[in-house]
Amino acid sequence: FEEKKIAVVGEKTSLTLSDLGIEADFVPPEFVAESLIENFPVSGYGLRVFLPRVQTGGRNFIADEFGILVRVL
């Protein structure tokens, strides 16, 4: 299996994962999507990404910047 990496945008998500025994591999210096994109350690283009979103839908910034197709589940 391919090794999975976890990136989070917000501090609350990072802390929640940590409480579950899961450490994020990448947390941007500012807790906004733009900071994740600007500071991401590799090109996101072509990556397979699981992108959970809020029930209200959120925005497509991360998906658009990484050039990924979003399937709504």
Side-chain angles (χ1 to χ4, degrees):
F1 288 97
E2 186 178 324
E3 184 178 339
K4 307 296 183 239
K5 299 284 186 178
I6 298 174
V8 298
V9 174
E11 181 177 27
K12 186 174 179 182
T13 305
S14 180
L15 292 173
T16 299
L17 287 176
S18 185
D19 288 345
L20 296 170
I22 302 167
E23 296 301 320
D25 297 295
F26 177 74
V27 181
E30 297 175 44
F31 302 126
V32 294
E34 289 82 357
S35 184
L36 182 135
I37 296 297
E38 291 171 7
N39 295 283
F40 204 67
V42 298
S43 170
Y45 186 79
L47 290 179
R48 293 183 66 177
V49 177
F50 173 65
L51 185 61
R53 296 167 64 165
V54 295
Q55 287 181 332
T56 56
R59 56 192 183 132
N60 290 328
F61 182 78
I62 293 174
D64 292 345
E65 291 297 311
F66 275 173
I68 58 176
L69 172 67
V70 175
R71 289 188 198 166
V72 179
L73 305 175

